[in-house]
Amino acid sequence: MPTIFTRIIEGEIPSRMLWEDDICVAFLDVRPLAPGHSLVVPRVEIDQWTDLPVEHAAHVMTVAHAIGRAQKTVFRPARVGLMIAGFEVPHTHVHAVPMDSMRQLDFSNADNRPDQAALDEQHQALRTQLLADGHHLGG
């Protein structure tokens, strides 16, 4: 059975897609820890990031870096945190979270009912910044 991320990648479940290429995608998290919280997900459905081909792992981090730089410009956080946990979905994914404190990396603080218009605005602002930074977003 495909993971929720595979279903998003295949377009079966709608998302606010930020990036698409042959190796990975990035989209806004539907339960954000902070405004702009994004996930970078390889297309290949592999549970643990340490099992990814090293080239895929490196590319996922390169895309997370681009997303993080855009998040810094758009949201002006003190830091952009990265987290790979993998307990919630058995499909490798990197959380890129604009943050001002470590408390923002606590999943118990996730917004389960985010304002949809705010998510749309964050999505557009990040895409605009990624394009301004010279990235081709695919899709």
Side-chain angles (χ1 to χ4, degrees):
M1 175 172 224
T3 68
I4 191 167
F5 294 150
T6 296
R7 294 174 64 205
I8 289 169
I9 290 166
E10 291 175 354
E12 186 180 325
I13 296 174
S15 68
R16 289 176 177 85
M17 195 64 67
L18 296 167
W19 185 289
E20 293 182 76
D21 64 32
D22 292 342
I23 296 174
C24 71
V25 301
F27 49 87
L28 286 183
D29 196 310
V30 296
R31 296 182 52 232
L33 298 174
H37 175 181
S38 303
L39 299 175
V40 183
V41 183
R43 289 182 178 275
V44 61
E45 193 174 296
I46 293 178
D47 183 9
Q48 297 192 34
W49 73 272
T50 52
D51 293 332
L52 282 174
V54 71
E55 308 81 36
H56 287 212
H59 183 74
V60 164
M61 292 307 292
T62 298
V63 172
H65 184 267
I67 299 289
R69 289 180 62 88
Q71 289 169 325
K72 281 180 69 173
T73 300
V74 172
F75 301 105
R76 306 238 183 258
R79 299 265 190 264
V80 173
L82 285 183
M83 182 174 16
I84 303 172
F87 290 102
E88 60 284 354
V89 178
H91 187 149
T92 298
H93 56 288
V94 175
H95 295 265
V97 184
M99 53 191 263
D100 293 314
S101 78
M102 286 295 292
R103 287 182 300 234
Q104 288 177 282
L105 292 180
D106 182 346
F107 285 106
S108 68
N109 295 326
D111 186 350
N112 292 317
R113 292 187 173 171
D115 179 274
Q116 298 302 303
L119 288 177
D120 289 341
E121 290 171 12
Q122 295 163 24
H123 174 247
Q124 186 57 51
L126 284 171
R127 282 186 60 86
T128 297
Q129 187 59 50
L130 285 162
L131 289 168
D133 289 346
H135 299 289
H136 173 72
L137 307 180

